[in-house]
């Protein structure tokens, strides 16, 4: 299960795991699209030209086949060294959660207040703790969004 | 001749010049801010022109449109977040240049190429509107299908190290573009019962989410990690001795700018292609003409010149079918038709007979707008080049707020904002696992046009494949598609192979 690249021994296992994970997620999603989602969410239509289901089905099938091809080529190819310097996923997930909460605030409290909350939450996730910054930027955002709203855009 | 002089006189009146200048300023702001799209800005600007004279009104709107195209490069270069979808391709070389301390150089090249592309395209419009418009009339559904197939081959060219991943992303873009009402039977497709999805996934939400919001997530991640590990947070420093544009560099960039302008003009004349496809195509063509030593994708000024010249050449060229036969070649051109009609002008073959003075005035105003763009861009450049030194802690929240606002403004619906966040998250995971968001966007932009023209072609040809033999333009594009696919797939495969063997 190992390859040798320029004198370095590189294990095939992480690459295999990654490709298998991709095959399960992407390939599984393609199968779900073809056999479940597309038939349930698309009517057959008039079919003067093409069925409305055709393009989504062809796309899903192509994605599935390409992922399978990628998996097979990973099995037979020489393993490449993994970059392995990805940041922990929870940094981005926290930022996504903060943005979602900020957008919920916009939906319920309006643009000026909600926008200020969004800016504040993003600042907090970024690790900003200076009081001046935590108060100044949200206020600036609130004023800006209030003015944009007033102009009627 | 009298009409030309009278038109020029109108274009040089104080009101018209002030209108052009105002339009350029507004357009630049729209272009710089991610999410505020050109069509949205035009839609907002049209009612503002109600009390203006026809020449001032059109000049104002032309200014907005032209400058938003040029301004879009600023975000792409400085923040890796394009202000306009059409500036997405500028990120490839613009951002690496900025990171290398050459932000001002990249911005200057972008500005000069934009003005060059715009001006040449305007001159082509003035000189060749009528003969070139007849070519646009020959583009029926069969021809458009072959053009779209040709455009889809760019996905292979822009796939980077993994051709399969690039293709998966591109096809995923086409798949998501099928969401909405079926173009033929108008029955809902993959809408999950949501009325908001009947019009499909909003383009601005997709672009802003996939490019700008995803980039902010990546930058936030890097910032938090640097902060937690105590690493030095990287700032973009401007190298004072390498931020000018030398004559040698102008000579080096000139052929690329000329080629890209021609690509942009072609993309403008063919209805439906638009600036995003034009800019990507120009980049692919520029890469194919690369000489040894060129560093496309790593910060080459020619990459910036290619995309910006093409992007800005599209708009004036899209006026060719509009002025000559009344056929709008882009969304912006279609909105401009509304503005023309509001001022009593119906674009089409008779417009030069009915309003010769106004039309020549518009032509001159378009050239004036190019000069104003150069002035505003050059003055603003000193300020824009400093964006990189603004701390990430200010940039990230501000861009996220503008991403939210920009998505909302497209349809004035919170649904667009939710779509932006969802697509941003999808884009983040795609990037994390090496799937290109750029090829996704190409598929997403081309997908609906491709499907519509394909289905129209099938009806027009009555399901007979041999009917294509009666369409020489379509055959030409199909031959080009095959050639392009072979041409693009070979180097992409080699690149992937080199990457795998670690060479």
């Amino acid at each position: 299960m190992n390859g040798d690249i320029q004198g370095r021994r590189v294990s095939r296992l992480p690459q295999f795991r990654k490709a298998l994970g991709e095959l399960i997620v992407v390939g599984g999603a393609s199968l779900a699209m073809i056999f479940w989602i597309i038939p349930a969410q698309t009517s057959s239509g008039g079919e003067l030209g093409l069925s409305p289901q055709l393009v989504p089905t062809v796309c899903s099938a192509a994605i599935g086949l390409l992922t399978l091809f990628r998996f097979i080529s990973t099995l037979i190819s020489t393993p490449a060294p993994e970059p392995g310097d990805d940041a922990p996923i929870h940094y981005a997930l926290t930022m996504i959660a903060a943005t979602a909460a900020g957008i919920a605030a916009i939906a319920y409290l309006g643009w000026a207040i909600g926008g200020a909350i969004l800016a504040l939450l993003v600042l907090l996730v970024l690790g900003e703790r200076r009081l001046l910054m935590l108060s100044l930027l949200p206020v600036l955002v609130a004023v800006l969004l209030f003015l944009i709203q007033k102009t009627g855009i | 001749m009298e009409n030309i002089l009278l038109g020029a006189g109108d274009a040089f009146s104080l009101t018209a010049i002030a209108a052009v200048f105002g339009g350029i300023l507004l357009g630049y702001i729209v272009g710089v801010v991610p999410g505020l799209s050109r069509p949205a800005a035009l839609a907002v600007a049209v009612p503002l022109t109600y009390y203006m004279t026809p020449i001032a009104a059109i000049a104002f709107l032309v200014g907005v449109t032209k400058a938003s195209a040029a301004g879009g490069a600023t975000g792409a270069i400085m923040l890796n977040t394009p202000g306009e979808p059409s500036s997405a391709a500028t990120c490839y070389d613009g951002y690496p240049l900025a990171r290398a301390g050459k932000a001002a150089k990249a911005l200057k090249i972008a500005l000069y190429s934009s003005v060059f592309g715009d001006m040449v395209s305007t001159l082509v419009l003035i000189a060749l509107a009528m003969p070139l418009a007849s070519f646009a009339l020959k583009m029926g559904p069969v021809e458009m299908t072959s053009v779209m197939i040709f455009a889809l081959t760019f996905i292979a060219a822009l796939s980077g190290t993994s051709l399969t991943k690039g293709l998966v992303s591109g096809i995923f873009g086409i798949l998501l573009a099928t969401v909405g009402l079926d173009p033929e039977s108008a029955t809902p497709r993959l809408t999950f019962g949501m009325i908001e999805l009947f019009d499909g996934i909003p383009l601005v939400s997709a672009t802003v989410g996939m490019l700008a919001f995803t980039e902010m997530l990546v930058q936030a991640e890097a910032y938090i990690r640097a902060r937690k590990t105590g690493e030095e947070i990287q700032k973009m420093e401007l190298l004072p001795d390498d931020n000018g544009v030398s004559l040698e560099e102008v000579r080096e960039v000139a052929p690329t700018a000329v080629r890209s302008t021609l690509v942009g003009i072609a993309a403008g004349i063919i209805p439906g292609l638009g600036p995003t496809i034009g800019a990507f195509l120009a980049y692919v063509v520029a890469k194919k003409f690369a000489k040894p030593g060129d560093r496309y994708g790593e910060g080459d000024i020619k990459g910036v010149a290619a995309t910006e010249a093409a992007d800005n050449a599209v708009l004036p060229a899209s006026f060719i079918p509009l002025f000559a036969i009344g056929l709008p070649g882009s969304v912006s051109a279609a909105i401009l038709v509304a503005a023309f009609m509001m001022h009593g002008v119906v674009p089409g073959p008779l417009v030069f007979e009915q309003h010769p003075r106004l039309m020549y005035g518009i032509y001159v105003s378009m050239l004036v707008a190019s000069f104003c763009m150069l002035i505003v861009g050059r003055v603003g450049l000193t300020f824009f080049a400093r964006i990189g030194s603004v701390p990430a802690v200010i940039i990230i929240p501000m861009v996220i707020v503008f991403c939210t606002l920009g998505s909302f403004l497209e349809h004035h619906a919170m649904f667009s904002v939710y779509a932006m966040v969802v697509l941003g998250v999808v884009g983040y995971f795609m990037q994390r696992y090496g799937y290109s968001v750029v090829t996704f966007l190409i598929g997403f932009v081309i997908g609906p046009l491709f499907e519509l023209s394909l289905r129209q072609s099938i009806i027009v040809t009555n399901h007979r494949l041999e009917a294509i033999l009666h369409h020489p333009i379509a055959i030409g594009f199909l031959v080009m598609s095959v050639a392009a696919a072979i041409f693009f797939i070979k180097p992409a495969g080699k690149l992937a192979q080199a990457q795998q063997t670690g060479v």
Side-chain angles (χ1 to χ4, degrees):
Chain A
M1 291 285 275
N2 292 336
D4 195 344
I5 297 163
Q6 293 175 347
R8 287 170 291 157
R9 300 283 294 173
V10 181
S11 170
R12 197 183 280 269
L13 201 62
Q15 214 166 320
F16 171 75
R17 270 194 203 142
K18 204 174 167 185
L20 184 66
E22 278 179 19
L23 180 70
I24 292 167
V25 173
V26 184
S30 322
L31 289 176
M33 283 295 290
I34 295 167
F35 295 109
W36 177 44
I37 299 171
I38 295 171
Q41 288 296 323
T42 314
S43 62
S44 53
E47 295 186 31
L48 184 63
L50 288 177
S51 157
Q53 295 186 351
L54 187 84
V55 177
T57 309
V58 169
C59 288
S60 305
I63 290 172
L65 286 173
L66 281 167
T67 313
L68 182 67
F69 170 77
R70 194 174 151 67
F71 176 71
I72 295 167
S73 60
T74 308
L75 287 182
I76 54 176
S77 66
T78 321
E82 292 285 304
D85 62 343
D86 279 344
I89 194 106
H90 67 266
Y91 293 166
L93 292 180
T94 326
M95 185 56 77
I96 292 164
T99 309
I103 288 169
I106 290 172
Y108 288 105
L109 303 170
W111 276 97
I113 299 171
I117 293 172
L118 172 62
L120 179 70
L121 290 172
V122 172
L123 279 173
L124 288 170
V125 171
L126 286 172
E128 185 58 52
R129 296 293 179 267
R130 286 171 292 178
L131 205 61
L132 184 71
M133 193 69 175
L134 289 175
S135 49
L136 208 63
L137 198 73
V139 169
L140 180 77
V141 167
V143 171
L144 199 66
L145 291 177
F146 177 76
L147 289 175
I148 290 173
Q149 214 173 3
K150 277 283 154 197
T151 56
I153 294 174
Chain B
M1 191 63 193
E2 190 194 342
N3 281 322
I4 297 174
L5 291 174
L6 285 170
D10 291 343
F12 283 113
S13 69
L14 197 64
T15 7
I17 289 182
V20 169
F21 209 77
I24 293 282
L25 276 178
L26 178 64
Y28 236 96
I29 295 166
V30 167
V32 170
V33 178
L36 296 186
S37 70
R38 196 179 312 172
L42 269 178
V44 171
V46 168
L48 299 179
T49 65
Y50 194 74
Y51 296 104
M52 293 181 189
T53 60
I55 181 79
I58 306 293
F60 177 75
L61 296 172
V62 164
V64 172
T65 321
K66 284 189 171 196
S68 62
T74 308
I77 292 168
M78 299 308 301
L79 304 167
N80 207 18
T81 58
E84 291 278 330
S86 56
S87 299
T90 307
C91 294
Y92 279 130
D93 285 286
Y95 189 60
L97 276 168
R99 288 195 72 88
K102 297 177 187 174
K105 186 195 282 282
L107 287 170
K108 278 176 196 164
I109 289 286
L111 175 67
Y112 301 151
S113 309
S114 298
V115 173
F116 175 78
D118 179 79
M119 209 169 267
V120 172
S121 184
T122 306
L123 291 172
V124 169
L125 163 72
I126 294 169
L128 301 169
M130 293 308 272
L132 285 178
S134 59
F135 176 74
L137 270 183
K138 287 179 185 156
M139 301 299 289
V142 181
E143 286 76 14
M144 283 309 289
T145 308
S146 55
V147 170
M148 292 305 152
I149 291 171
F150 177 59
L152 284 169
T153 58
F154 312 160
I155 290 175
L158 296 167
S159 288
T161 52
S162 172
L163 182 64
T164 44
K165 281 187 172 180
L167 289 174
V168 167
S169 304
I171 298 167
F172 181 47
I174 300 173
L175 177 64
L176 280 198
T178 62
V179 173
L181 290 182
D182 174 56
E184 208 172 278
S185 60
T187 52
R189 191 166 57 171
L190 304 171
T191 55
F192 298 89
M194 283 185 267
I195 295 168
E196 293 91 341
L197 278 176
F198 278 20
D199 282 338
I201 295 168
L203 176 64
V204 170
S205 301
T207 322
V208 171
M210 281 276 177
L211 297 170
F213 185 56
T214 300
E215 177 60 25
M216 285 307 109
L217 289 177
V218 172
Q219 289 197 14
E221 202 177 58
Y223 179 83
I224 298 168
R225 182 161 72 165
R227 208 169 170 141
K228 290 205 169 164
T229 55
E231 279 172 43
E232 199 189 337
I233 295 161
Q234 227 187 339
K235 267 189 184 176
M236 279 184 206
E237 298 293 342
L238 277 177
L239 299 174
D241 52 340
D242 199 14
N243 266 297
V245 179
S246 67
L247 203 63
E248 199 185 326
E249 283 170 327
V250 171
R251 249 187 253 127
E252 192 189 326
V253 159
T256 310
V258 172
R259 261 194 308 269
S260 307
T261 301
L262 294 176
V263 171
I265 291 171
I269 294 170
I270 299 171
L273 280 189
T276 310
I277 299 172
F280 276 113
L281 176 58
Y283 188 74
V284 171
V285 171
K287 261 177 88 172
K288 289 296 145 197
F289 278 90
K291 290 178 193 155
D294 285 351
R295 298 171 66 233
Y296 282 99
E298 294 169 32
D300 197 311
I301 50 172
K302 283 193 256 181
V304 175
T307 54
E308 285 306 306
D311 180 10
N312 285 270
V314 170
L315 181 85
S318 73
F319 287 170
I320 291 173
L322 176 69
F323 287 169
I325 50 177
L327 177 71
S330 62
V331 181
S332 306
I335 296 170
L336 281 171
V337 173
F340 271 102
M341 291 172 94
M342 200 170 86
H343 291 279
V345 182
V346 180
L350 297 176
V351 74
F352 277 92
E353 283 176 33
Q354 291 168 344
H355 307 278
R357 181 173 168 176
L358 175 68
M359 290 313 291
Y360 287 115
I362 291 170
Y363 279 164
V364 179
S365 287
M366 287 176 82
L367 291 172
V368 172
S370 300
F371 280 110
C372 286
M373 202 161 85
L374 184 66
I375 296 164
V376 172
R378 191 65 190 83
V379 172
L381 199 137
T382 329
F383 164 73
F384 294 139
R386 304 273 158 210
I387 292 176
S389 51
V390 177
V393 80
I394 295 175
I395 291 280
I396 295 169
M398 289 305 281
V399 174
I400 290 178
V401 167
F402 276 113
C403 286
T404 312
L405 180 68
S407 316
F408 177 80
L409 288 179
E410 189 184 10
H411 293 301
H412 284 257
M414 281 309 283
F415 178 79
S416 301
V417 180
Y418 306 145
M420 182 275 291
V421 176
V422 171
L423 287 165
V425 175
V426 171
Y428 168 77
F429 282 103
M430 280 174 69
Q431 261 194 18
R432 195 174 169 100
Y433 293 99
Y435 290 88
S436 163
V437 289
V438 172
T439 54
F440 167 87
L441 280 176
I442 294 176
F444 190 78
V445 172
I446 297 174
L449 301 167
F450 170 64
E451 192 190 357
L452 181 68
S453 49
L454 175 70
R455 296 174 77 162
Q456 284 174 340
S457 305
I458 287 170
I459 296 168
V460 166
T461 58
N462 204 14
H463 294 254
R464 285 180 303 113
L465 193 65
E466 71 273 15
I468 200 168
L469 294 172
H470 302 296
H471 299 269
I473 296 177
I475 294 172
F477 273 106
L478 285 176
V479 171
M480 277 161 62
S481 308
V482 174
I486 297 166
F487 198 51
F488 294 151
I489 287 170
K490 242 166 97 180
K494 271 184 192 169
L495 191 64
Q497 219 173 10
Q499 188 83 0
Q500 281 213 321
T501 50
V503 178

